[in-house]
Amino acid sequence: MLGINRQSSTNYVDWELLFSDPQVAASQSRGTIMQRTQSIMEFQQLMKNDAKSALRSELDRLGNTASTDKKEAIKRDFENFETLFKRFLLKSGPSIVWSEIKSPPEGYIRSYGEISAGPMQSSEQELLSKLVVVKLNGGLGTSMGCTGPKSLISVRSGLTFLDLTVQQIESLNKLYDASVPLVLMNSFNTHDDTNMILRKYSSCNVKIYTFNQNRYPRINKESLLPIAQTCDDPLEAWYPPGHGDVYECFAKSGLLKKFLDEGREFMFVSNIDNLGATVDLRILNMLANPADQSKPCEFVMEVTDKTRADVKGGTLIEYEKKLRLLEIAQVPKEHVDEFKSVTKFKIFNTNNLWMKMSAVQRLSDASELDMEVIVNNKRLSNGTNVIQLETACGAGIKNFNNAIGINVPRSRFLPVKKTSDLLLVMSNLYELTHGSMRMSSHRQFPTTPLVKLGDEHFSKIHKFLGRFANIPDMLELDHLTVSGDVTFGKDVTLKGTVIIIANHGERIDIPSGAFLENKIVSGNLRILDH
C-alpha cells in the first residue's frame, strides 16, 4: 500500500510536481535538464502505476465493507471514480496551451435578440411536450451557515428555491396545457431532506422525479488514498463530484431513456439557486426548429456579458477547432489576470445549458464524454488535507455537435451564492410572479447594484436576518458596502452609493425611516429606547 508522510523528508513526494509536465519538473534543477528528463519520466510512470495499484486495492477493501444490498451500486460508483482518478494521473501540465486559444468564430456565439426575433414555428404546447427541466440540487447552504439543502433556504415571502422552481413549471403547464416534468439531481447530502419536502407538492400540476449523483471518496492529498475506512464512515469522508456527472447519472437512473421513449427531445439544465434560469420558449424553438435541418444544434450554453463582479466565471473559447469552456482553474498562473480581463474575455457561462437528449444518450452509451478533471483542495475539520476530483457540466460542450453559445440578458443569471445576493432578491428591486423573479419595472436602470456585506456580521443567514428590521428600499441603489456591527431599522431607503462602516468595538444603528443617498456613514451611531 502506498503511504506517504508529509512530515518525513525522506518519504514526502510533491504530487503536483510529480504529475506535472516532465519538462517543468525537470527544470527545477538547472544545468542537468536533458540528462535527468528521461529518469524523471520513468520515475513518474512508476509512481503513477503505484498510485493506481494502491487505489485499486484500497477501493476493493472499502467496497467489501458495504452491506450486501449496496455492494453492487458502490462497486459501480468506485469503477467510475477509478476512471476519474486515472484521468487525473494522466494530466500533464495545464489542460490548455494559452497561445492556441482563439475567440469563438462568428456564429458560434449568437445574440439572444437574433434568436428571439425568429418566428415561432411550433405552438408553445408542442414545444413544451419535447422538454424536460433538470435542476442541479446537490449543494448544501453551508456558505451561508445552513446545514440542509440550499434549495430549502427561504428566499422571498417564505418561499424556497424549490418552491419557486415548482411554481415556475406549474404556471407553464397551466398556461399552455402542458406537462413539463421537473427532475432534481440530488447528492447524498440533499437526497433525504429533499424527498421529504417533495410530498407537499403532490397536488401541484408538476411531475417531479429525482436521481442521485455519484458519491466518491475524498482522497488524502499526501497518500492519494481514500480517507474512508468503511463505507459507513461519516459524510465528511465522501463528496459529490461536481455537476459534470449529470450526464452519466441521468442516463444510469433510467430517466433519460424514459423521457426519450415518451418522445421528449431536449433537457434544460441549470443550478437551482439561479432564480433567472426559467424556461425560455425562444431558445427551445430554435433547438426544435433548426434553420439548417442537416446540422441540428445538440448543445446550447447561455452566456452573458461579464462585469467586474464576474471575473472568475468560465468563458467560451475556440480550442482545437471546437467550442470549449475555459475555467479559471485551467488557466496558467501567469495568464490569470488576462483571463479576468473584461476586455479580452467579454462573456461568461451562466450554467444554463440546453441539450439534445439523444446526443446525451449517444455519448453516455459510448463513454465518449470527455471533461477536464477539476482538482478541488479541501481541509477537513481534523486538519487533514484532501482533494476532490470533480467535473463541470458546461465542460461537456466540446463533445456535442454544432454546439453554440447564446448571449442572453443579465436577467437570466440571478444566482444566490451569498447573503449579499439574498439581500437583492428579497428587496423591492425584484418582483415575484408565478415563481419567477423580474427586475422591478420601477427601476430606471436594468443593472444590478453592487452589494458588499461584511463577513463577520452578515455572511451567515441567521445573523444577516437579525440585522434588518425589514429589507430597505433599494430601487435606486447603485452600490452598498456595509462593514462591522451595523443594524437597519424599518423602512430605510438607500439610493446611489452608500457606504456604512462601523469600526471595531463600535456600532451603527441606522434608524427607522432613514434616507441615505450617496452617503458615507462611519464611527458610532446608536439610538437607545427611552
Side-chain angles (χ1 to χ4, degrees):
M1 206 162 82
L2 181 64
I4 296 180
N5 183 353
R6 183 171 285 280
Q7 303 304 317
S8 167
S9 60
T10 56
N11 288 340
Y12 167 60
V13 173
D14 188 335
W15 291 100
E16 291 180 3
L17 174 60
L18 182 64
F19 297 138
S20 65
D21 188 291
Q23 296 292 340
V24 175
S27 68
Q28 305 301 308
S29 177
R30 302 295 181 186
T32 58
I33 295 175
M34 297 305 294
Q35 296 174 352
R36 296 180 57 193
T37 298
Q38 189 61 40
S39 63
I40 287 176
M41 290 175 68
E42 291 171 358
F43 180 62
Q44 285 178 326
Q45 191 57 51
L46 285 171
M47 297 304 290
K48 289 179 184 180
N49 291 340
D50 282 349
K52 284 188 283 189
S53 175
L55 181 78
R56 173 72 269 155
S57 173
E58 195 65 10
L59 291 178
D60 285 342
R61 184 198 64 75
L62 199 53
N64 288 332
T65 68
S67 57
T68 305
D69 59 324
K70 294 180 180 177
K71 271 191 177 178
E72 196 57 38
I74 285 174
K75 181 183 176 183
R76 287 197 301 270
D77 279 357
F78 284 177
E79 286 173 354
N80 295 333
F81 175 72
E82 195 173 6
T83 300
L84 193 63
F85 185 80
K86 287 175 181 176
R87 282 166 51 202
F88 158 66
L89 293 183
L90 287 171
K91 183 183 74 169
S92 60
S95 58
I96 54 102
V97 177
W98 192 257
S99 60
E100 294 182 13
I101 287 176
K102 297 178 182 177
S103 296
E106 188 176 347
Y108 277 65
I109 308 291
R110 299 177 63 181
S111 75
Y112 181 77
E114 173 195 349
I115 298 297
S116 57
M120 293 289 284
Q121 295 166 286
S122 307
S123 70
E124 290 88 351
Q125 185 184 48
E126 185 181 352
L127 288 172
L128 292 172
S129 71
K130 299 178 180 180
L131 182 66
V132 176
V133 173
V134 179
K135 291 290 182 178
L136 305 172
N137 185 47
L140 297 172
T142 49
S143 62
M144 290 192 284
C146 299
T147 54
K150 189 174 185 180
S151 58
L152 305 185
I153 293 174
S154 179
V155 180
R156 181 77 175 257
S157 304
L159 299 173
T160 66
F161 290 106
L162 188 53
D163 292 335
L164 296 176
T165 298
V166 173
Q167 274 195 17
Q168 288 169 20
I169 298 176
E170 183 179 43
S171 65
L172 260 185
N173 287 340
K174 284 182 177 178
L175 182 61
Y176 298 111
D177 191 21
S179 58
V180 177
L182 169 63
V183 181
L184 302 174
M185 183 174 83
N186 298 327
S187 69
F188 63 89
N189 287 318
T190 63
H191 173 77
D192 291 340
D193 288 343
T194 300
N195 281 350
M196 284 181 63
I197 293 295
L198 290 182
R199 297 171 189 169
K200 75 176 183 178
Y201 305 120
S202 56
S203 61
C204 293
N205 184 24
V206 183
K207 287 186 178 179
I208 304 176
Y209 303 85
T210 67
F211 68 95
N212 272 19
Q213 64 182 122
N214 291 311
R215 185 184 86 147
Y216 287 165
R218 280 175 163 156
I219 295 294
N220 186 296
K221 189 174 183 179
E222 274 56 277
S223 68
L224 292 189
L225 294 175
I227 62 168
Q229 295 303 302
T230 75
C231 286
D232 293 326
D233 271 14
L235 295 183
E236 194 177 44
W238 310 89
Y239 75 99
H243 40 62
D245 61 352
V246 64
Y247 306 101
E248 174 204 327
C249 295
F250 190 39
K252 76 178 182 182
S253 72
L255 289 172
L256 178 58
K257 183 177 185 305
K258 167 188 165 56
F259 292 130
L260 284 169
D261 289 346
E262 290 177 1
R264 298 189 184 273
E265 297 178 32
F266 305 100
M267 53 194 280
F268 172 47
V269 181
S270 62
N271 297 331
I272 200 162
D273 65 2
N274 180 4
L275 296 174
T278 57
V279 171
D280 189 287
L281 288 167
R282 293 292 179 176
I283 297 176
L284 183 56
N285 176 64
M286 183 218 70
L287 284 166
N289 302 290
D292 185 346
Q293 295 286 343
S294 66
K295 294 178 66 178
C297 174
E298 293 185 344
F299 192 105
V300 167
M301 175 182 289
E302 292 186 35
V303 297
T304 196
D305 292 337
K306 184 188 282 191
T307 69
R308 284 182 168 78
D310 314 305
V311 292
K312 293 183 179 179
T315 192
L316 282 179
I317 58 170
E318 184 191 14
Y319 192 76
E320 296 177 340
K321 297 183 179 180
K322 286 192 173 184
L323 202 58
R324 182 161 162 179
L325 178 65
L326 176 65
E327 299 275 16
I328 193 168
Q330 300 165 252
V331 177
K333 289 180 181 178
E334 63 271 23
H335 294 289
V336 166
D337 288 341
E338 191 178 348
F339 174 82
K340 290 180 177 181
S341 164
V342 296
T343 53
K344 179 167 183 175
F345 297 102
K346 295 181 170 60
I347 56 170
F348 73 99
N349 170 30
T350 64
N351 217 41
N352 299 346
L353 309 170
W354 302 75
M355 306 165 203
K356 195 171 177 65
M357 289 198 293
S358 59
V360 175
Q361 184 78 70
R362 181 189 76 235
L363 292 165
S364 296
D365 288 347
S367 299
E368 289 180 350
L369 273 160
D370 175 30
M371 291 175 286
E372 289 74 28
V373 179
I374 299 167
V375 181
N376 192 351
N377 292 285
K378 298 276 187 180
R379 183 188 288 269
L380 303 186
S381 56
N382 65 3
T384 303
N385 291 317
V386 297
I387 57 174
Q388 298 179 179
L389 304 181
E390 304 176 1
T391 55
C393 190
I397 190 170
K398 66 180 182 180
N399 300 280
F400 291 83
N401 297 326
N402 306 313
I404 63 168
I406 296 180
N407 193 342
V408 297
R410 182 74 183 202
S411 58
R412 291 193 57 75
F413 184 68
L414 188 57
V416 179
K417 304 295 183 186
K418 299 179 291 187
T419 52
S420 54
D421 303 321
L422 192 58
L423 178 63
L424 290 172
V425 298
M426 291 177 75
S427 76
N428 59 346
L429 278 164
Y430 291 94
E431 296 167 349
L432 180 62
T433 308
H434 302 304
S436 297
M437 305 287 281
R438 297 278 185 267
M439 182 72 77
S440 170
S441 56
H442 299 295
R443 182 165 171 82
Q444 292 181 329
F445 307 103
T447 54
T448 305
L450 179 62
V451 174
K452 297 180 179 180
L453 302 178
D455 284 346
E456 184 181 352
H457 297 91
F458 288 88
S459 63
K460 306 305 180 187
I461 284 185
H462 66 283
K463 290 185 177 181
F464 163 82
L465 293 174
R467 295 273 152 186
F468 297 92
N470 63 8
I471 302 301
D473 177 341
M474 298 166 57
L475 264 180
E476 297 180 46
L477 180 69
D478 297 321
H479 179 125
L480 173 66
T481 294
V482 182
S483 177
D485 187 358
V486 179
T487 61
F488 293 80
K490 289 184 178 180
D491 305 325
V492 172
T493 299
L494 305 174
K495 290 187 177 185
T497 297
V498 178
I499 299 172
I500 306 170
I501 300 174
N503 297 325
H504 181 70
E506 297 179 335
R507 175 171 164 175
I508 294 177
D509 291 337
I510 304 299
S512 294
F515 181 95
L516 300 177
E517 181 175 9
N518 296 324
K519 297 291 185 185
I520 297 176
V521 181
S522 63
N524 188 57
L525 174 64
R526 191 169 185 188
I527 298 174
L528 301 175
D529 291 331
H530 58 82

